[in-house]
Amino acid sequence: QVQLVESGGGLVQPGGTLTLSCATSGIRSSVYTMGWYRQAPGKQRELVARFISGGSTNYADSVKGRFTISRDNAKNTVYLQMNSLRPEDTAVYVCNAAIVGKDYWGQGTQVTVSS
């Protein structure tokens, strides 16, 4: 059974930092395209950051320079470090694992940026 479990969300003040974790089981995350998406109330789900072929990464323009995606293949875990958080970063952050013919999603973790 494949599971993606996110953790690390919470309430943080503007300018603060959070690090999200996505622990996977049932797959070898190193062979999947792993990424983070987010969905704010009333908005569509959008890509935040992901690993692409060759180990490269791509980021949404709105988070470039502030967020960093990383992975620990030995732990089958992917991380999202979020710095300089803004109120507009408030959303449910969801982990995704994709490979040809398969697409898995976690339940998500809430991130709220507010003073």
Side-chain angles (χ1 to χ4, degrees), residues 56-106:
S56 299
T57 55
N58 72 304
Y59 295 87
D61 287 343
S62 59
V63 307
K64 282 181 182 176
R66 299 188 298 123
F67 290 11
T68 303
I69 189 171
S70 63
R71 69 200 305 172
D72 184 333
N73 290 333
K75 295 182 178 180
N76 276 327
T77 299
V78 178
Y79 304 95
L80 184 68
Q81 181 172 347
M82 307 185 292
N83 299 327
S84 302
L85 282 160
R86 305 167 180 169
E88 54 265 37
D89 294 319
T90 295
V92 175
Y93 285 71
V94 186
C95 181
N96 172 257
I99 199 169
V100 174
K102 299 179 182 179
D103 198 17
Y104 301 107
W105 296 89

Side-chain angles (χ1 to χ4, degrees), residues 7 14 34 47 54 101:
S7 60
M34 300 296 302
L47 172 70

